Amino acid sequence: MNQKEHNEQVALFRLLKIHERSNPLFANIFAIPNGGQRHIKVAAKLKAEGVKAGVPDIFVAVPNSYSAGLFVEMKVKPNKPSKLQQEWITRLQAAGYDCEVCHSAEEAYRVIVNHIKDNATLTA
């Protein structure tokens, strides 16, 4: 993940934290630590623990009427998902998950709100 994508993801999680009290399902959103440069020993340890390259950056563990949950891949324009990331997105969609590529914190927030407002336990 490059620095601009990192900054957008940090901004998204700050925004989600602000709204978590009024929208408790926002607490069910977390980052997946599969990107970035790491020491070879740390990378080997994470791989042994099951971390896999290409998995989207964020998971929204909230089902709704049309999907089991939402994965979000953060990209800044003009970047696009890699071939491996696109393969993950395709497999996750086939398994019943919604997947979106978002280019800003604001876009990701809108996608997440639209996803969770279809869950009967939350009015977003």
Side-chain angles (χ1 to χ4, degrees), residues 12 15-16 19 23 25-26 29 60 62 64 66 70 72 102 105-119 122-124:
L12 170 63
L15 187 57
L16 293 170
H19 295 286
N23 299 315
L25 291 179
F26 286 155
I29 302 169
V60 179
V62 179
N64 62 23
Y66 56 89
L70 169 66
V72 176
C102 295
E106 293 80 13
E107 179 185 4
Y109 181 76
R110 283 191 306 273
V111 165
I112 290 167
V113 168
N114 286 336
H115 175 85
I116 63 176
K117 74 178 174 182
D118 192 37
N119 181 292
L122 176 69
T123 55

Side-chain angles (χ1 to χ4, degrees), residues 48-70:
E49 290 175 356
V51 172
K52 295 184 178 183
V55 173
D57 299 312
I58 300 165
F59 183 58
V60 179
V62 179
N64 62 23
S65 64
Y66 56 89
S67 73
L70 169 66

Side-chain angles (χ1 to χ4, degrees), residues 32-35 46-47 49-59 69-75 80-101:
I32 298 169
N34 59 342
L46 290 172
K47 186 175 181 178
E49 290 175 356
V51 172
K52 295 184 178 183
V55 173
D57 299 312
I58 300 165
F59 183 58
L70 169 66
F71 284 92
V72 176
E73 176 61 34
M74 294 298 295
K75 292 289 179 193
K80 296 179 181 180
S82 68
K83 181 179 177 186
L84 184 57
Q85 290 170 327
Q86 192 55 55
E87 289 170 1
W88 266 104
I89 289 169
T90 299
R91 282 197 313 271
L92 291 166
Q93 288 172 327
Y97 292 94
D98 194 16
C99 298
E100 295 286 341
V101 177

Side-chain angles (χ1 to χ4, degrees), residues 32-44:
I32 298 169
N34 59 342
Q37 299 296 318
R38 294 187 173 90
H39 186 277
I40 190 74
K41 288 184 180 181
V42 173

